[in-house]
Amino acid sequence: MMQEKRGILKVMQGEMQLETIPLQAALTVIGRERTDVVLDDGEVSSSHCQIQILNGDFHLFDLHSTNGTFVNGQRIVKSRLQPGDRIRVGKTDFVFDFASDEVGKTDSNGQALDPANYLPPEASGAKEIDDIFMRERSLFLKELCIVADVTYGDGTFETLKVKGEIVLGRLVDLGAFSRDDELSRKHARFFIDDDANAWVEDLGSTNGVVVNGIKISRAVKISEQDVVKAGRCKFKIKVQPAN
């Protein structure tokens, strides 16, 4: 008998802690109401994310949720899951894994199917669904904003929210950077990659850019916990939808 790998979610933290949730053959939706996995959590959107089988692999998609979907600590738009990946949705932590069931799948000639390549009939429209998702993802990324909490050298504070990217420097018509003589005219930029992660890049400044106390020499991915320093300014950066 062959063994077919079926996906499961192990609940590590949250109201369903220690439960094991079997994933449906083609699609499992997680959200706050009327979904396959319902989480009674104000931080979870109505339809928050979904796990889908595409070409035999399990993929996690964020469904434009307000607070985001995270895999191993990184906010994602789409992620191909591997056993042991830790997924966070609101206050709930899951671990993705496989559960083995002894089944004897065969093709029309009676030959055993390789479970690694077996695609359930329910996923027959996977390519079309993936194409639709990629188009929606492109539109979603265009609507993301960089949100920068800025502490200026004189101790004043400001939050800047800019769609796409933020370029900072003394000659940039944004914030109060013109009064910081340690900034170059165009000093650095914050931008968003295709997976909705925030990055910072030094634009050839005189005094450099420092992330968590380390001067960078190339673009660096940053999280909400990182502290970026440019000139006399300190930044905490996050990515969120425009609305």
Side-chain angles (χ1 to χ4, degrees), residues 182-212:
E182 291 189 10
L183 287 174
S184 298
R185 289 178 295 178
K186 284 192 175 181
H187 194 104
R189 75 175 181 124
F190 299 104
F191 63 96
I192 304 169
D193 67 14
D194 289 342
D195 290 318
N197 296 308
W199 291 69
V200 62
E201 177 183 26
D202 189 336
L203 297 178
S205 67
T206 300
N207 295 317
V209 177
V210 175
V211 178
N212 298 329

Side-chain angles (χ1 to χ4, degrees), residues 2-243:
M2 298 272 305
Q3 282 195 331
E4 180 190 8
K5 291 181 178 178
R6 297 180 180 272
I8 60 171
L9 293 178
K10 300 176 182 177
V11 185
M12 309 305 292
Q13 180 176 322
E15 62 175 9
M16 302 167 64
Q17 189 170 356
L18 303 181
E19 288 190 29
T20 297
I21 301 168
L23 299 176
Q24 297 183 23
L27 183 69
T28 301
V29 180
I30 301 171
R32 197 175 66 249
E33 55 188 43
R34 295 190 298 277
T35 53
D36 302 305
V37 181
V38 178
L39 301 177
D40 184 13
D41 181 352
E43 295 182 9
V44 175
S45 299
S46 296
S47 294
H48 195 103
C49 61
Q50 66 183 34
I51 297 175
Q52 182 179 347
I53 297 176
L54 297 172
N55 300 322
D57 292 322
F58 288 81
H59 293 260
L60 174 65
F61 299 86
D62 182 77
L63 297 176
H64 307 330
S65 66
T66 300
N67 294 312
T69 303
F70 297 80
V71 175
N72 300 325
Q74 296 294 322
R75 185 168 182 166
I76 61 94
V77 174
K78 173 184 176 182
S79 178
R80 184 167 68 88
L81 294 174
Q82 301 289 343
D85 280 346
R86 197 172 187 105
I87 302 166
R88 184 165 184 83
V89 179
K91 297 183 178 72
T92 302
D93 281 349
F94 303 93
V95 169
F96 172 76
D97 207 342
F98 290 123
S100 296
D101 298 322
E102 290 192 347
V103 296
K105 297 286 185 183
T106 60
D107 61 20
S108 58
N109 297 317
Q111 299 296 314
L113 290 169
D114 181 353
N117 297 321
Y118 174 67
L119 186 65
E122 295 90 336
S124 58
K127 183 179 185 304
E128 290 79 4
I129 294 172
D130 201 29
D131 289 343
I132 292 170
F133 173 80
M134 294 305 290
R135 290 195 294 271
E136 290 182 347
R137 177 179 124 169
S138 178
L139 293 173
F140 171 67
L141 289 171
K142 289 179 181 178
E143 292 300 313
L144 290 179
C145 290
I146 292 280
V147 180
D149 291 332
V150 189
T151 303
Y152 294 103
D154 61 4
T156 58
F157 178 85
E158 183 176 15
T159 296
L160 304 174
K161 184 176 181 179
V162 179
K163 189 180 293 185
E165 69 173 25
I166 291 177
V167 176
L168 62 99
R170 290 201 323 276
L171 296 186
V172 174
D173 186 19
L174 180 70
F177 302 121
S178 61
R179 65 194 187 198
D180 189 339
D181 58 8
E182 291 189 10
L183 287 174
S184 298
R185 289 178 295 178
K186 284 192 175 181
H187 194 104
R189 75 175 181 124
F190 299 104
F191 63 96
I192 304 169
D193 67 14
D194 289 342
D195 290 318
N197 296 308
W199 291 69
V200 62
E201 177 183 26
D202 189 336
L203 297 178
S205 67
T206 300
N207 295 317
V209 177
V210 175
V211 178
N212 298 329
I214 300 173
K215 189 172 184 178
I216 65 172
S217 58
R218 55 181 176 79
V220 172
K221 184 166 66 174
I222 52 176
S223 70
E224 298 180 25
Q225 289 72 44
D226 294 321
V227 178
V228 180
K229 187 173 186 299
R232 295 190 180 92
C233 303
K234 292 182 179 179
F235 302 84
K236 297 291 288 290
I237 300 295
K238 60 185 174 183
V239 176
Q240 68 181 40
N243 296 322

